């Protein structure tokens, strides 16, 4: 009697593309026809999100473009990545980008960036620098803003509109033909037009235009999925909102400036369904989809959580009651849980300069109680870093001790 073995199910190659469209506030994206964002949402979800860190806390970060990009691609706020404006003069590469994490995990993997701003690759991500382990990109298309012959600059930013178009077309062609494993596309025009016109018909037209460019890229992804059975994660995000009512500027901590959004083509977890997510959640989400195991010392510093797998708690805050007692609060994703979490503290911030911090466990808390007071092993001085280790992930925060 013969026998046979069933063929194992084919493993689908994992791919991801992140698209950042600049400066589109939540109210505008929800009130403007965006047929292509709607197509992606139909495969997954539209998620309200935020930038700017913890308002009034150690992580508060200006709602400026580079700060939003940095939060998205590193999973950390400005107090860690040291991106507080668009100059990018002193980026702290000790907090690795998702591209660095991916390259370290998969040295043979292929990465790509298509950007209407050269500094995203050379300064923000630090391509080729020793500090980023010589981060490389197998495909890149950027720097056209410096070509004033082909793209003469004009006062109404039509040259940026043309560059965005070229960037999106090149991204779509590369995805369709080469299928890089991890890709970032950055499109700028919506920020320029809103600075000029604020909440207006030209701004809405700019959003519709940019949505069409997103559609070109998404079409290429869908072609790859159908032809090669690849498993693509698509994330479209914006980097900041805009000043209330007029929408001409940004940088502050108003809700209109902090409120952003994420469009994702996948099913999401209960956290993403029930809370306003953060742009810092993008990096751990991509890492999970791509099978990137984030080293423990890095995971302890990341300010976001995955939108895909189980999340136990979010929004950890901390304040000192006195020099030996710390009040913690958080939001439990499941109020019926019986799960506990371990609380640890460190009195140094060596990670910030490339070192390691020594954490001491100070107690265990029940997640459904959503707050606790813990006693520190020594009097607080300088800074206290707080780590909450839940069954599925870390949360972190820090409190600065006033002199």
């Amino acid at each position: 009697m013969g026998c046979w073995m069933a063929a194992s199910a084919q493993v689908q190659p994992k791919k991801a593309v992140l698209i950042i469209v600049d400066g589109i506030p939540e109210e505008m994206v929800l009130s403007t026809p965006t047929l292509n964002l709607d197509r992606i949402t139909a495969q997954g979800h539209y998620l309200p999100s935020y930038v700017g860190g913890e308002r009034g806390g150690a992580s508060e970060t200006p709602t400026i473009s580079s700060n939003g990009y940095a939060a998205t691609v590193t999973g950390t706020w400005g107090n860690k990545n040291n991106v507080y404006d668009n100059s990018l003069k002193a980026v702290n590469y000790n907090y690795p980008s998702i591209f660095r994490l991916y390259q370290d995990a998969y040295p043979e993997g292929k990465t790509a960036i298509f950007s209407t701003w050269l500094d995203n690759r050379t300064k923000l991500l630090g391509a080729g620098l020793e500090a980023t382990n010589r981060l490389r990109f197998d495909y890149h298309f950027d720097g056209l803003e410096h070509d004033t012959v082909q793209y003469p600059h004009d006062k109404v930013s039509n040259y940026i509109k043309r560059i965005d178009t070229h960037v999106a077309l090149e991204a779509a062609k590369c995805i369709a033909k080469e299928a890089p494993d991890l890709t970032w596309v950055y499109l700028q025009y919506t920020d320029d037009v809103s600075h000029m016109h604020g909440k207006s018909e030209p701004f809405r037209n700019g959003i519709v235009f940019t949505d069409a460019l997103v559609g070109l890229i998404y079409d290429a992804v869908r072609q790859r999925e159908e032809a090669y059975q690849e498993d693509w994660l698509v994330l479209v995000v914006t980097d900041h909102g805009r000043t209330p009512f007029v929408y001409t500027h940004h940088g502050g901590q108003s809700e209109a400036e902090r409120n952003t959004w994420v469009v994702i083509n996948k099913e999401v977890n209960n956290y993403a369904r029930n809370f306003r997510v953060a742009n810092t959640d993008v990096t751990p989400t991509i890492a999970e989809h791509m099978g990137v195991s984030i080293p423990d010392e890095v995971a302890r510093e990341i300010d976001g959580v995955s939108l895909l797998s189980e999340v136990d708690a979010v929004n950890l805050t901390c304040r000192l009651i006195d020099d030996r007692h710390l009040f913690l609060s958080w939001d439990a994703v499941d109020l019926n849980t019986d799960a506990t979490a371990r609380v640890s503290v460190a009195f140094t911030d060596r990670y910030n300069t490339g070192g390691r911090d020594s954490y001491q466990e100070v107690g265990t808390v029940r997640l459904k109680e959503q707050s606790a007071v813990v006693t520190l092993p020594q009097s607080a001085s300088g800074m206290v870093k707080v780590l909450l280790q839940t069954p599925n992930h870390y949360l972190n925060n820090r409190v600065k001790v006033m002199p």
Side-chain angles (χ1 to χ4, degrees):
M1 181 177 179
C3 64
W4 58 276
M5 295 180 62
S8 60
Q10 183 177 0
V11 177
Q12 289 182 292
K14 300 284 188 178
K15 310 279 185 177
V17 57
L18 167 66
I19 306 172
I20 296 182
V21 292
D22 204 314
I24 305 177
E26 185 177 31
E27 186 275 333
M28 290 292 284
V29 79
L30 291 176
S31 62
T32 301
T34 52
L35 301 180
N36 292 291
L37 290 180
D38 291 349
R39 288 169 59 207
I40 302 171
T41 300
Q43 297 295 316
H45 293 272
Y46 170 92
L47 304 174
S49 64
Y50 73 93
V51 293
E54 180 187 353
R55 189 189 281 117
S59 64
E60 183 175 298
T61 306
T63 52
I64 295 173
S65 294
S66 288
N67 311 356
Y69 317 154
T72 303
V73 300
T74 70
T76 63
W77 300 115
N79 61 318
K80 296 176 182 176
N81 58 53
N82 202 39
V83 176
Y84 282 99
D85 57 41
N86 290 336
S87 68
L88 301 174
K89 289 181 178 178
V91 179
N92 191 339
Y93 299 117
N94 291 314
Y95 301 90
S97 70
I98 183 58
F99 290 92
R100 165 81 183 276
L101 292 169
Y102 179 77
Q103 179 177 284
D104 289 351
Y106 299 102
E108 302 304 314
K110 303 295 184 182
T111 57
I113 183 169
F114 303 88
S115 174
T116 305
W117 199 40
L118 178 63
D119 286 356
N120 279 334
R121 174 169 60 91
T122 58
K123 294 182 179 180
L124 183 67
L125 296 175
L129 300 180
E130 184 177 351
T132 63
N133 195 27
R134 305 295 180 188
L135 176 67
R136 74 172 197 284
F137 285 90
D138 299 278
Y139 311 96
H140 62 84
F141 186 80
D142 50 18
L144 298 186
E145 73 273 25
H146 299 296
D147 183 355
T148 57
V149 175
Q150 295 296 320
Y151 300 93
H153 293 196
D154 61 284
K155 293 182 179 180
V156 295
S157 284
N158 279 329
Y159 78 102
I160 292 294
K161 192 174 185 180
R162 291 179 58 218
I163 290 173
D164 273 7
T165 302
H166 202 167
V167 165
L169 286 168
E170 290 296 321
K173 287 195 298 184
C174 185
I175 287 171
K177 183 179 179 181
E178 305 293 345
D181 299 293
L182 178 58
T183 299
W184 176 14
V185 182
Y186 165 67
L187 304 173
Q188 179 180 318
Y189 179 66
T190 44
D191 190 60
D192 283 32
V193 72
S194 57
H195 276 298
M196 289 183 285
H197 299 286
K199 190 175 183 178
S200 63
E201 197 61 26
F203 189 11
R204 293 189 188 281
N205 292 339
I207 294 171
V208 172
F209 164 76
T210 296
D211 177 70
L213 300 184
V214 170
L216 295 175
I217 299 163
Y218 189 56
D219 284 343
V221 168
R222 295 293 288 165
Q223 291 169 18
R224 294 292 311 189
E225 288 178 325
E226 293 170 7
Y228 299 98
Q229 289 71 56
E230 294 162 346
D231 182 5
W232 283 79
L233 170 68
V234 178
L235 289 155
V236 187
V237 309
T238 198
D239 53 335
H240 56 76
R242 311 204 73 82
T243 45
F245 308 115
V246 293
Y247 288 179
T248 49
H249 298 292
H250 53 89
Q253 290 290 320
S254 69
E255 292 297 324
E257 291 163 286
R258 288 171 58 88
N259 286 355
T260 52
W261 47 270
V262 174
V263 168
I264 183 171
N265 69 327
K266 298 290 184 182
E267 284 302 317
V268 295
N269 54 28
N270 285 335
Y271 155 61
R273 289 174 179 270
N274 294 294
F275 292 82
R276 182 174 285 276
V277 305
N279 277 43
T280 49
D281 297 332
V282 168
T283 282
T285 300
I286 294 173
E288 181 179 348
H289 176 78
M290 299 297 291
V292 174
S293 180
I294 300 177
D296 210 47
E297 64 271 17
V298 178
R300 286 195 293 260
E301 299 288 338
I302 287 180
D303 295 319
V305 294
S306 175
L307 302 174
L308 303 176
S309 60
E310 188 171 357
V311 169
D312 304 302
V314 291
N315 301 328
L316 175 67
T317 65
C318 53
R319 65 177 175 86
L320 283 168
I321 299 172
D322 55 43
D323 66 349
R324 288 295 303 277
H325 295 92
L326 193 64
F327 176 77
L328 308 179
S329 67
W330 60 88
D331 292 322
V333 174
D334 178 7
L335 289 174
N336 296 314
T337 181
D338 290 322
T340 60
R342 293 184 290 171
V343 181
S344 300
V345 297
F347 295 91
T348 61
D349 192 19
R350 297 191 183 100
Y351 185 93
N352 188 269
T353 54
R356 292 197 175 194
D357 297 296
S358 177
Y359 283 89
Q360 304 173 62
E361 188 169 330
V362 294
T364 301
V365 299
R366 300 179 69 185
L367 287 175
K368 66 182 177 183
E369 293 180 355
Q370 300 193 104
S371 66
V373 175
V374 298
T375 302
L376 301 176
Q378 66 188 61
S379 295
S381 62
M383 178 179 292
V384 181
K385 294 175 70 171
V386 182
L387 192 66
L388 190 70
Q389 186 175 357
T390 79
N392 289 293
H393 57 88
Y394 291 115
L395 295 179
N396 75 86
N397 207 323
R398 59 186 63 191
V399 56
K400 186 175 183 179
V401 181
M402 300 301 292

